[in-house]
């Protein structure tokens, strides 16, 4: 399966919105995991209508998985399905809801994030089919869970084509590059144009694996849940997201690296069972 992570620098460049759009456009069942240690925006943003009406629960997700597995000595992919909820506007998407407050991250710790990473890396649907995982890590910080980053097929740094966002992305890319192989690190350029993407590539010296055009109305569906979070059938943003989603799925779904996906340094080795794909 593919595991693709988006992280960002300062200034909210649109990583969460981009990830939600990719999930909605994904060609097969997909797991959308909100692993932002500062507290997740996926459910309150895109799916706020369904949270308010009681169709989705924000207490079922990352935290409930940690509580259920806190005595486990190894990650187990079978433990994750009970904490994944179907997304009403996009039934092929399963949501792992995020934390409510930054303080919950401290309780989870490295061991908890490692168990979750093992489960994400080998997640299967209720029907037993392997599913890709799209993971939102929010703003990069000292609290960012490295087990998730190190296990990803692709880590994307979200950036807009503005000086402020480019400058915010530089230190994030530099720190990630110290521990992540170059072929696993790229850019998600949000609310951009072809010229804007070229400028970002030159300024940051990285290729753009994802380019999302500016489409305020459609973006508001995924960021603020307008129209009940139901994506429009026709939109430049959705057309691009479908093309990108098909490419990412076909490129990374059968990816099989020669080295372990979750390095031993990320956690004690007893937690790494099943960590390779």
């Amino acid at each position: 399966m593919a595991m693709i992570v988006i992280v960002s620098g300062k200034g909210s460049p649109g990583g969460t919105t981009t990830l939600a759009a990719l999930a909605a456009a994904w060609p097969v069942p997909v797991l959308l995991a909100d692993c932002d240690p500062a507290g997740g925006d996926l459910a309150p943003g895109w799916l706020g209508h369904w949270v308010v009406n009681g169709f989705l629960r924000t207490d079922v997700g990352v935290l409930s998985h940690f509580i259920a597995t806190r005595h486990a000595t190894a990650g187990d992919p079978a433990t994750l399905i009970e904490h994944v909820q179907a997304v009403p506007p996009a039934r092929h998407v399963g949501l792992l809801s995020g934390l409510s407050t930054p303080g919950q991250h401290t309780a989870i710790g490295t061991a908890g994030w490692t168990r979750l990473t093992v489960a994400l890396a080998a997640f299967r649907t209720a029907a037993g089919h392997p599913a890709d995982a799209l993971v939102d890590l929010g703003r990069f910080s000292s609290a960012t869970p490295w087990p998730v980053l190190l296990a990803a097929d692709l880590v994307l740094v979200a950036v807009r084509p503005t000086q402020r966002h480019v400058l915010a992305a530089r230190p994030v890319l530099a720190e990630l590059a110290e521990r992540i192989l170059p072929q696993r690190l790229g850019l998600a350029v949000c609310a951009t144009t072809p010229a804007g993407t070229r400028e970002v590539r030159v300024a940051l010296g990285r290729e753009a694996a994802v380019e999302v055009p500016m489409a305020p109305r459609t973006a508001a569906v995924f960021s603020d849940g307008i129209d009940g979070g139901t994506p429009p059938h026709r939109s430049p943003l959705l057309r691009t997201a479908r093309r990108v989603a098909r490419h990412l799925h076909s490129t990374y779904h059968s990816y099989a690296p020669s080295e372990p996906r979750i390095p031993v340094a990320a956690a004690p080795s007893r937690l790494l069972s099943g960590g390779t794909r």
Side-chain angles (χ1 to χ4, degrees):
M1 294 83 74
M3 185 157 74
I4 297 168
V5 171
I6 285 188
V7 67
S8 65
K10 297 184 290 185
S12 301
T16 298
T17 299
T18 296
L19 205 66
L22 287 175
W26 210 254
V28 293
V30 65
L31 175 62
L32 181 60
D34 192 340
C35 297
D36 185 345
D41 289 329
L42 273 169
W46 178 22
L47 304 169
H49 168 80
W50 303 97
V51 173
V52 170
N53 289 337
F55 288 93
L56 287 175
R57 294 173 53 186
T58 56
D59 62 333
V60 175
V62 172
L63 185 62
S64 64
H65 177 267
F66 164 72
I67 293 171
T69 63
R70 64 188 181 279
H71 299 305
T73 57
D76 181 1
T79 63
L80 192 56
I81 189 67
E82 296 178 3
H83 308 276
V84 175
Q85 303 173 81
V87 172
R91 301 295 295 184
H92 68 289
V93 180
L95 174 71
L96 186 70
S97 188
L99 303 178
S100 299
T101 64
Q104 293 171 342
H105 160 74
T106 304
I108 294 175
T110 300
W113 286 115
T114 301
R115 290 195 301 274
L116 177 59
T117 300
V118 171
L120 289 171
F123 178 73
R124 290 180 177 269
T125 66
H129 302 301
D132 300 324
L134 304 179
V135 185
D136 184 7
L137 288 185
R139 177 177 170 180
F140 184 78
S141 71
S142 59
T144 298
W146 274 97
V148 181
L149 285 170
L150 295 174
D153 291 298
L154 182 64
V155 176
L156 299 173
V157 176
V159 58
R160 286 184 183 238
T162 68
Q163 291 181 2
R164 179 167 63 96
H165 287 103
V166 166
L167 291 173
R170 280 180 174 170
V172 176
L173 284 166
E175 188 163 349
L176 292 175
E178 292 180 0
R179 301 179 66 181
I180 295 175
L181 296 175
Q183 61 268 33
R184 294 186 187 172
L185 184 59
L187 302 174
V189 188
C190 311
T192 188
T193 63
T197 301
R198 286 194 297 271
E199 292 174 359
V200 169
R201 286 205 317 263
V202 171
L204 295 176
R206 295 276 172 181
E207 288 301 315
V210 173
E211 301 175 56
V212 178
M214 183 176 293
R217 174 73 182 181
T218 306
V221 171
F222 297 111
S223 63
D224 299 301
I226 67 168
D227 300 330
T230 302
H233 292 295
R234 296 180 179 180
S235 162
L237 191 155
L238 261 297
R239 285 198 299 271
T240 299
R242 291 187 190 102
R243 184 177 68 252
V244 172
R246 287 194 298 267
H247 173 71
L248 292 175
H249 169 70
S250 64
T251 300
Y252 294 102
H253 184 75
S254 59
Y255 183 77
S258 58
E259 75 277 12
R261 297 295 303 281
I262 305 173
V264 173
S269 59
R270 66 178 182 275
L271 298 176
L272 307 184
S273 175
T276 60
R277 285 192 267 161

